[in-house]
């Protein structure tokens, strides 16, 4: 039986997953982190919780957070980020520019890659940096 809460794939297996596939997984990782962050920061009311989550997971918000991370990424992480940024996306939401959407996809691709490598601590480090400004606002 596979433990999908604690999955670890090797480099070849991860390379075989498309950048869109990694971003799809990374989107879920990011959403779980955002929801956890909101609940632990006292924003656990129904409507307010949903609105806050939606605002944080929108492409423009993700793109801004991705910019904060770029100087901190290792060369390997930068390569994964670029792989996601260069993904062939066909549909861009009306609420996002193409540039923001590609940055958000790149961030999600990175998070998906780190998740599949079992690098939870690194994900937490990067997420903390992403949320620093919001931390001070609460």
């Amino acid at each position: 039986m596979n433990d999908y809460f604690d999955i670890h794939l090797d480099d070849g297996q991860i390379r075989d997953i498309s950048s869109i596939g990694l971003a799809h997984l990374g989107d879920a990782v990011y959403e779980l982190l955002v929801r956890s962050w909101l609940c632990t920061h006292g924003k656990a009311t129904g409507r307010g919780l949903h609105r806050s989550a939606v605002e944080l997971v929108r492409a423009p918000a993700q793109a801004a957070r991705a910019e904060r991370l770029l100087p901190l990424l290792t060369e390997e992480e930068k390569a994964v980020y670029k792989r996601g940024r260069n993904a062939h996306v066909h549909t861009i939401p009306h609420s996002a520019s193409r540039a923001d959407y590609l940055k958000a996809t790149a961030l999600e691709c990175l998070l998906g890659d780190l998740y599949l490598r079992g690098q939870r601590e690194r994900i937490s480090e990067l997420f903390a940096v992403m949320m620093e400004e919001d931390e001070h606002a609460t």
Side-chain angles (χ1 to χ4, degrees), residues 63-124:
R65 284 169 172 73
E67 289 291 329
R68 296 180 201 169
L69 297 183
L70 289 177
L72 306 174
L73 299 181
T74 66
E75 290 305 313
E76 294 84 13
E77 291 167 346
K78 286 178 186 174
V80 173
Y81 180 89
K82 288 178 184 175
R83 178 181 171 197
R85 191 186 61 212
N86 294 332
H88 296 291
V89 295
H90 300 290
T91 305
I92 309 289
H94 296 293
S95 62
S97 69
R98 182 167 186 79
D100 280 353
Y101 192 73
L102 292 175
K103 288 177 191 173
T105 301
L107 174 63
E108 292 168 349
C109 188
L110 174 62
L111 292 174
D113 180 272
L114 291 171
Y115 175 80
L116 291 175
R117 293 178 191 283
Q119 295 185 14
R120 309 300 187 274
E121 190 172 315
R122 181 61 174 159
I123 292 170
S124 292

Side-chain angles (χ1 to χ4, degrees), residues 29-84:
V29 170
Y30 183 70
E31 176 122 10
L32 179 59
L33 291 168
V34 164
R35 288 177 180 219
S36 299
W37 187 88
L38 289 169
C39 287
T40 60
H41 285 79
K43 298 188 186 300
T45 62
R47 187 177 300 151
L49 184 60
H50 177 71
R51 284 185 188 148
S52 295
V54 167
E55 189 58 37
L56 289 169
V57 300
R58 290 177 65 230
Q62 285 188 35
R65 284 169 172 73
E67 289 291 329
R68 296 180 201 169
L69 297 183
L70 289 177
L72 306 174
L73 299 181
T74 66
E75 290 305 313
E76 294 84 13
E77 291 167 346
K78 286 178 186 174
V80 173
Y81 180 89
K82 288 178 184 175
R83 178 181 171 197

Side-chain angles (χ1 to χ4, degrees), residues 14-30:
I14 294 170
R15 232 183 343 268
D16 287 343
I17 298 171
S18 71
S19 54
I20 297 298
L22 289 175
H24 179 72
L25 181 59
D27 176 61
V29 170
Y30 183 70

